[in-house]
């Protein structure tokens, strides 16, 4: 088949996401050829495209799905947003930098007449770290860091501070920072797309990159709209393809398929029983709401650790609680169909048991009928061997950094709360920029080329 060829003279940013049918196309009025093409309109692609657009680059953002995100890691209305960590903690920096970048995005849109607030993205609420006493040494840093928190290390302290019934072998830390709580990925993606357009960029939906190959002077990308194929040529590529990273870089960086592994996880949704909610006082309801979001590891086994948050509310105000486990993982046979895989009975049982274990802090004798299941779906994590993401240029066969291919990958479980910070790092690599701030430098080094180089050496030593 003969493909039409369109040449792009500027660098291209490639961020492929997972799944879903093509829908409408959103464009601005510009007909100028883009400097940068971003493929993938989820959190990471949209964040990076926004940073490039505001820097004056002519950006075209291509998204495989429609304007309503229905599958993939950016799906949903809530992810935990949290800042607490030891002084100099990279993950705390990524969250706090993202909050600052969202504030700038909101201000940018407001200046142009857009009606938008920080509360469209963030729901501020206590973040609960409920841990087995064996984890206490890991929190010795608490007095040294600047975030506001409350701490209960005994049942009497938990009853006095929070009105909770905490077991003897558990401690509870509550983070109380503004914009800590939950972040809404869907809302943030929408704001980012509006920001891209307002800054002069373009957004197109229903555009899937199916192949990436290296050619003289750059790369070619085969792009499908569901009915026809087009070839785009670009000088530079940045890949942040989530679970599809290995497949899309198979020809230009085949080692990535062994460095970033997709694994299935599941999310279950439970609502609070109508009769139970109706019988509770306003104070009792608030105690339940204040239990979320949470990371609960009262069982000192990694696989039993659970995260949970309020995803939405029913029409009468009852919480719909989302719960999952970062370590409840399984292998994937067919990545394209994994999004439709239903939860098994054992997975539902695990999720409900973990939720009831957390709700036991209320001191109520709650059973399965108190939290009926209302939904559940499969998700995919893409993970590096040490579960630290990559934001790095690729390393060529000669061992030198290859600035024409930048990789952003392995962000599952740590992505949403730091999304705009990852976008800053990726855009800076494309633009050849850096910052002198100590925390920025540490984040760039932690996620960057030396991290990749160590993993490639380990891969080689293992005979891969």
């Amino acid at each position: 088949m003969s493909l039409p060829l369109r040449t792009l003279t500027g660098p291209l940013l490639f961020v492929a996401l997972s799944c879903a049918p093509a829908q409408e196309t959103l464009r601005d009025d510009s007909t100028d050829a883009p400097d940068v093409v971003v493929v993938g309109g989820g959190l990471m692609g949209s964040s990076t495209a926004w940073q490039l657009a505001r820097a004056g680059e002519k950006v075209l953002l291509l998204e495989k799905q429609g304007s309503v995100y229905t599958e993939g890691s950016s799906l949903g209305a809530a992810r935990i947003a949290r800042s607490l960590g030891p002084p100099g903690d990279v993950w705390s920096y990524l969250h706090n930098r993202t909050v600052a970048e969202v504030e700038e995005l909101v201000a940018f849109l407001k200046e142009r007449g857009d009606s938008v607030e920080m509360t469209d993205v963030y729901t501020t609420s206590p973040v609960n770290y409920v841990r087995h006493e064996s984890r206490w040494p890991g929190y010795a840093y608490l007095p040294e860091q600047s975030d506001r928190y409350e701490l209960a290390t005994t049942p009497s302290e938990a009853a006095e501070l929070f009105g909770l019934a905490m077991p003897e072998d558990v401690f509870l830390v509550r983070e109380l920072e503004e914009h800590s709580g939950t972040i809404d990925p869907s809302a943030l993606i929408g704001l980012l797309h509006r920001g891209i357009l307002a800054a002069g960029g373009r957004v197109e939906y229903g555009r899937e990159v199916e192949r990436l190959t290296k050619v003289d002077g750059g790369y070619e990308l085969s792009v499908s709209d569901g009915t026809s194929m087009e070839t785009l040529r670009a000088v530079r590529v940045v890949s942040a393809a989530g679970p599809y990273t290995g497949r899309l870089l198979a020809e230009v960086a085949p080692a990535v398929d062994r460095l970033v592994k997709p694994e299935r996880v599941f999310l279950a949704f439970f609502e609070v029983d109508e009769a139970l909610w109706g019988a509770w006082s306003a104070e009792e309801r608030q105690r339940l709401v204040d239990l979320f979001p949470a990371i609960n590891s009262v069982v000192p086994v990694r696989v039993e650790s659970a995260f949970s948050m309020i995803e939405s509310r029913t029409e009468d105000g009852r919480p719909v609680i989302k719960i999952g486990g970062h370590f409840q993982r399984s292998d994937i046979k067919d990545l394209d169909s994994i999004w439709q895989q239903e939860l098994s009975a054992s997975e539902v049982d695990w999720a409900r048991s973990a939720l009831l274990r957390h709700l036991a802090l209320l001191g109520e004798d709650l059973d399965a009928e108190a939290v009926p299941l209302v939904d559940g779906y499969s998700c995919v994590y893409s993970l590096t061997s040490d579960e630290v993401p990559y934001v790095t240029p690729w390393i060529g066969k000669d061992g030198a950094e290859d600035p024409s291919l930048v990789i952003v990958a392995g962000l599952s479980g740590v992505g949403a709360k730091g999304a705009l910070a990852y976008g800053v790092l990726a855009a800076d690599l494309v633009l050849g920029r850096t910052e002198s701030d100590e925390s920025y430098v540490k984040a760039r080094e932690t996620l960057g080329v030396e991290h990749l180089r160590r993993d490639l050496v380990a891969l080689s030593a293992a005979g891969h």
Side-chain angles (χ1 to χ4, degrees):
M1 177 174 61
S2 177
L3 302 178
L5 182 65
R6 181 147 54 99
T7 299
L8 308 179
T9 56
L12 177 142
L13 175 70
F14 175 84
V15 187
L17 291 172
S18 43
C19 8
Q23 297 181 26
E24 72 277 13
T25 296
L26 176 66
R27 299 175 182 269
D28 72 354
D29 294 328
S30 173
T31 58
D32 293 338
D35 297 321
V36 183
V37 175
V38 180
V39 183
L43 273 178
M44 302 311 157
S46 299
S47 297
T48 311
W50 155 243
Q51 296 295 341
L52 292 165
R54 70 189 293 209
E57 298 295 307
K58 295 177 181 177
V59 177
L60 169 62
L61 175 63
L62 302 178
E63 165 54 37
K64 180 179 180 179
Q65 301 189 67
S67 58
V68 177
Y69 204 69
T70 59
E71 295 182 0
S73 59
S74 297
L75 173 65
R79 296 288 189 278
I80 298 179
R82 58 191 183 92
S83 172
L84 194 68
D89 181 57
V90 167
W91 316 111
S92 298
Y93 166 75
L94 293 170
H95 163 79
N96 293 326
R97 178 64 183 266
T98 292
V99 171
E101 293 292 333
V102 173
E103 288 175 333
E104 291 191 20
L105 172 62
V106 167
F108 175 87
L109 291 171
K110 278 187 171 182
E111 289 173 359
R112 284 148 184 84
D114 205 334
S115 178
V116 59
E117 301 292 341
M118 288 292 287
T119 51
D120 295 335
V121 175
Y122 289 102
T123 298
T124 298
S125 61
V127 180
N128 298 270
Y129 305 82
V130 190
R131 306 293 201 186
H132 186 264
E133 62 185 2
S134 60
R135 301 285 296 273
W136 176 243
Y139 284 80
Y141 67 83
L142 283 173
E144 303 172 8
Q145 56 80 50
S146 59
D147 288 341
R148 293 186 301 120
Y149 70 95
E150 292 180 319
L151 170 66
T153 59
T154 66
S156 60
E157 289 177 344
E160 181 180 354
L161 284 172
F162 311 126
L164 298 177
M166 190 175 76
E168 289 280 354
D169 59 352
V170 170
F171 68 95
L172 191 159
V173 182
R174 272 192 172 167
E175 176 183 336
L176 301 168
E177 283 295 295
E178 186 177 17
H179 306 315
S180 287
T182 56
I183 185 172
D184 185 332
S186 297
L188 182 52
I189 288 170
L191 296 189
L192 287 164
H193 289 191
R194 281 145 63 182
I196 293 165
L197 292 172
R202 300 192 343 234
V203 180
E204 295 182 4
Y205 302 112
R207 302 275 279 161
E208 178 182 3
V209 176
E210 296 192 352
R211 186 183 182 193
L212 173 68
T213 56
K214 191 168 181 61
V215 296
D216 290 342
Y219 297 87
E220 286 184 356
L221 294 94
S222 299
V223 183
S224 171
D225 63 4
T227 59
S228 61
M229 192 78 72
E230 180 183 14
T231 296
L232 306 183
R233 179 168 289 176
V235 176
R236 299 172 67 192
V237 171
V238 177
S239 171
Y244 291 93
T245 296
R247 180 190 300 182
L248 288 165
L249 298 182
E251 296 186 38
V252 297
V256 173
D257 188 42
R258 287 157 286 164
L259 294 173
V260 181
K261 292 291 187 180
E263 294 184 307
R264 175 185 175 269
V265 294
F266 60 87
L267 296 170
F269 297 76
F270 301 88
E271 66 182 23
V272 178
D273 176 69
E274 184 176 7
L276 180 66
W277 185 254
W280 279 349
S281 66
E283 181 181 358
E284 288 172 321
R285 293 177 180 181
Q286 190 61 48
R287 280 198 304 135
L288 180 143
V289 169
D290 287 344
L291 278 179
F292 301 96
I295 301 172
N296 187 308
S297 54
V298 299
V299 178
V301 179
R302 197 181 193 209
V303 74
E304 292 299 323
S305 178
F307 59 86
S308 55
M309 66 210 75
I310 295 174
E311 173 83 3
S312 60
R313 300 279 190 134
T314 62
E315 290 185 0
D316 59 355
R318 290 175 291 129
V320 176
I321 301 165
K322 173 170 63 182
I323 186 163
H326 286 308
F327 308 107
Q328 290 291 316
R329 302 172 185 162
S330 56
D331 292 337
I332 295 172
K333 295 181 180 179
D334 179 10
L335 183 57
D336 292 330
S337 65
I338 200 68
W339 316 101
Q340 286 75 44
Q341 183 175 333
E342 296 182 355
L343 273 60
S344 67
S346 62
E347 290 169 341
V348 172
D349 288 345
W350 180 91
R352 180 180 276 114
S353 296
L355 177 57
L356 289 173
R357 185 164 58 234
H358 186 63
L359 291 176
L361 290 166
L362 297 173
E364 302 259 355
D365 186 19
L366 302 178
D367 59 17
E369 293 182 357
V371 282
L373 179 75
V374 294
D375 199 5
Y377 64 81
S378 296
C379 189
V380 177
Y381 277 9
S382 56
L383 301 161
T384 65
S385 60
D386 60 2
E387 301 188 8
V388 175
Y390 298 127
V391 184
T392 176
W394 182 240
I395 298 173
K397 293 181 179 179
D398 60 357
E401 297 178 27
D402 180 1
S404 71
L405 178 59
V406 176
I407 296 172
V408 183
L411 289 93
S412 297
V414 295
K417 63 181 175 287
L420 267 70
Y422 290 109
V424 168
L425 294 169
D428 284 354
L429 287 171
V430 173
L431 298 171
R433 301 186 311 194
T434 190
E435 297 179 13
S436 59
D437 174 76
E438 183 178 340
S439 295
Y440 172 97
V441 171
K442 183 177 181 180
R444 186 158 169 161
E445 291 176 347
T446 299
L447 310 175
V449 70
E450 292 307 315
H451 175 214
L452 173 62
R453 197 179 296 278
R454 288 192 300 271
D455 286 355
L456 285 171
V457 169
L459 195 67
S460 177
H464 297 297

